[in-house]
Every structure is written in structure tokens, then in C-alpha cells.
Amino acid sequence: MSMPGRRADAVRNRQLALEAATALLAEPDAALTVEAIARKAGLGVGTVVRAFGGKDALLDTAVAHLLEPVVRRGRDLLQQYGPEQALRAFLTELIAFQAAHHPISDQLRGLATPATAALRAELVQVVAEMLTGARQVGAIRADIDLATTTALISQLTFAIARAQPGNPQLTDAFITVVMDGLRPQLLGDADGS
């Protein structure tokens, strides 16, 4: 009869460790060690390790948990709006997400995080789909290769998110400049006339 109770405890402990890791990910200078996660969760280190198998798996699960709704939101925007409007809205939301969670990239450096890597790839794919759709309707220039455009947007959104987190004026200005720069060049624009 003790097995069902232990199973419920294991599920609860796993959830507590996941919540603690997620909370620590939101703190810019937090130490993301198994000890710190266990302390925040009110659990023993051994319990946290048993629940996830180690720090890499725990952080991978926590970050994947944060990224899943972002990827889903990008797909939803693409279905609700035209690709250019979806891109503009998604960039605004992506910058807000990155501003709130930018320390995550530093914390994950050197860790094995397959679930996070897969979701990051999905995120890039969503942006690529928005760009491809916007190209097809003539809203985005086609003279810059899609991979370059996607990488440029990715790096710039991350830089803006880190520069002044939570600054809506900076975000709006950034998106306006990027979207203007992505517009197809008119014949007179290319030579400055």
C-alpha cells in the first residue's frame, strides 16, 4: 500500500523541483545548482536528482516548459493574421519573453538540453514560416537569404531584450526599423534616387 503514496510524493517532488528551477531561471543572478534548486523547492538534493536524473535534465525540462507556450503562440499568430502582421506581433512578444528570461542562455551553456534545443529549432522554424509567407505576398524582401534574415532577427531580438529589458519604446523602434529594412526595395531606392 505504500507504493501509491510514494508515487504521489515523487510526482509532487518533481513538480516542486521544476517550479523551483523555473523560478530561479527568472532571477538574473541566481545560482542554478542542484543544491540551490533543492533548497528553493524545500527538498533534499538526492530527491531532486532522483526526480530528474541531474541538473541538465531538470533545467532542460524547466526551459522547455517555458518555451512551449512561446512556440505555440507563434503558430497561433501565424494562423490568425497575415504573415507580416504575425511577425510584427510575435517579435514584440518574443522580445518581452527574452527580456524576462535572457539569463537562461548563459545558464544553459555547456549543458545537454535536447528538449530545449528542439523547441528553439521550432521557434526558428515559426519565424522562418512567417518570413516565407511575408515574402510570398511581397511584404518582405527576397534578396537576403532566408537563413540570414532569420539569424539576423534572432540575434537582434536577443540584443534588444538584453539591452533595456521591458522598454516598450525601444522594442517598438526596433521592430519598426527591422520591418522597414525588410521591405522590398523599390527601383529608386537601390541607387539612392
Side-chain angles (χ1 to χ4, degrees):
M1 284 291 207
S2 62
M3 284 304 276
R6 285 188 188 180
R7 181 69 187 136
D9 282 351
V11 170
R12 180 186 62 82
N13 291 343
R14 183 177 170 87
Q15 186 60 36
L16 288 170
L18 184 58
E19 289 170 3
T22 302
L24 287 171
L25 283 168
E27 296 176 18
D29 298 323
L32 280 173
T33 63
V34 173
E35 292 79 10
I37 294 165
R39 190 170 36 257
K40 184 146 187 96
L43 301 170
V45 171
T47 301
V48 172
V49 171
R50 275 191 305 280
F52 286 91
K55 176 181 169 180
D56 290 17
L58 172 55
L59 292 180
D60 189 28
T61 303
V63 174
H65 184 73
L66 290 171
L67 280 177
E68 283 172 337
V70 175
V71 172
R72 195 170 38 254
R73 178 65 176 149
R75 295 211 182 279
D76 290 347
L77 286 169
L78 197 50
Q79 289 180 353
Q80 290 175 335
Y81 303 107
E84 183 182 10
Q85 187 179 1
L87 180 62
R88 182 179 285 277
F90 190 59
L91 290 178
T92 301
E93 293 181 24
L94 187 58
I95 290 169
F97 173 81
Q98 288 176 329
H101 299 94
H102 71 81
I104 290 174
S105 290
D106 297 334
Q107 297 286 352
L108 294 182
R109 195 167 287 122
L111 301 182
T113 55
T116 299
L119 282 164
R120 282 182 171 172
E122 280 188 57
L123 194 60
V124 169
Q125 181 59 38
V126 167
V127 172
E129 289 172 24
M130 290 175 183
L131 290 169
T132 298
R135 282 180 169 193
Q136 290 170 347
V137 298
I140 300 290
R141 61 194 300 165
D143 61 326
I144 301 173
D145 146 308
L146 185 62
T148 301
T149 305
T150 304
L152 178 68
I153 286 173
S154 173
Q155 294 300 316
L156 288 173
T157 56
F158 189 68
I160 294 299
R162 286 186 91 141
Q164 292 182 11
N167 183 333
Q169 292 82 14
L170 182 62
T171 298
D172 289 343
F174 160 74
I175 292 172
T176 297
V177 168
V178 167
M179 297 304 287
D180 286 351
L182 289 175
R183 296 211 189 295
Q185 297 293 303
L186 301 176
L187 287 176
D189 291 346
D191 60 11
S193 57

